Amino acid sequence: MNIGYIGGGPISNFHLPALIHNNFNVQSIGSTEGSERCLNTASRFNLTKAYCKGGWEEVIDNEVDAFCICIDTSATPEILLKTLDKNKPILVEKPIGWKLNQLESISRHPNVNNLFVAYNRRFYDCVQILKSKCENSEGGTININIPDSIPGIRQFLVNGCHMIDLLRYLAGDFLIKSKSIRFSENTKDIKSISALCFNEKWDINLIAHSLIPSNFCITVNTEKQVYELKPIEKLNLYKGLEILEPTQEEPLRRYNPKIIKSFVETSKYKPGFDLMYKNFKTFIKQGVSDIYCSFDDAQKTLETCWDLIDSEISNEFSDFHKK
């Protein structure tokens, strides 16, 4: 299958190896007109002959089977709209746009169902195992932890959107019952979000707190078992407790959850990318695949992110709202 690839930045170092491994032929590659960075990326993957000096507009003028758009989010909506006019399947990097109004014209495009959004963590083997466990469970409680080394709204949309997408993928859509947002006087941006959420099956406790020594984590508590993604590339399944009586060295009684199984992502490529491109190939052929994120899904994830962020305080404090 012939691909028109739009991009050349750091994320291309993950996309292109997985594309090539899945026997896609990158027929054309370009980003901005005359981009040396894109040319260097093309050279690194032996794609110099496919390089389009004219940039992304030259790429979409090529006759190909599908397109990949893997560029800065700020430029994605405009380029995506013009690529949709070609009526070809398109894999596009998340979150597609920073704000919901940037997605409105895309949502009305007649070819919007051609979109396959690259939320790669859906394609982790351990996420697929956990999704099956959640679907076959009667429900329970979920704790989700979203830390980050960089504070602020923009970073929450960059990294937090992955976690919100995973939460929706595993538990389904949910409502926000209450939330609290704290801001940093120093950065004039969000420091933390805590929210209580729910749907018919799950009660959800969400914490997003930047600049703390913590890890991304989703813990699913069911009637008899606990499933924990921590980090997201590792799934532990717990059942029962091991009770350790006090000793001279450790004078406290301890209750340790028993791990009955563990799964760790192992891949030659960035986790999730190989399976993502296998599913994209099926999507190109059939218009659907076993695993994928539609535009509607991505739009709902961005909407949920903004539902968590938005408040009178965030509107007043953060410069991101004004951009």
Side-chain angles (χ1 to χ4, degrees), residues 8 16 22 53 65 77 116 119 166 189 202-203 233 249 275 305 307:
L16 288 170
N22 280 282
K53 189 176 181 180
D65 297 301
F116 182 111
Y119 272 106
L166 271 187
D189 214 331
W202 303 100
D203 290 318
E233 292 75 19
E249 294 77 18
L275 184 58
C305 288
D307 285 344

Side-chain angles (χ1 to χ4, degrees), residues 215-241:
N215 210 331
F216 291 90
C217 178
I218 297 177
T219 304
V220 178
N221 305 298
T222 63
E223 185 178 351
K224 294 182 179 180
Q225 291 190 330
V226 172
Y227 309 97
E228 183 179 64
L229 289 170
K230 185 180 181 181
I232 303 304
E233 292 75 19
K234 182 179 181 180
L235 174 65
N236 284 334
L237 279 62
Y238 299 91
K239 186 175 183 180
L241 291 170

Side-chain angles (χ1 to χ4, degrees), residues 1-3 23-27 65 280-282 284-285:
M1 289 182 180
N2 294 321
I3 292 290
N23 298 315
F24 286 99
N25 174 47
V26 181
Q27 184 172 302
D65 297 301
F280 185 48
K281 183 173 281 189
T282 301
I284 293 169
K285 293 176 181 177

Side-chain angles (χ1 to χ4, degrees), residues 262-277:
S262 284
F263 304 89
V264 179
E265 291 299 309
T266 56
S267 176
K268 182 180 177 181
Y269 306 96
K270 184 174 175 65
F273 271 58
D274 186 36
L275 184 58
M276 180 173 73
Y277 275 107

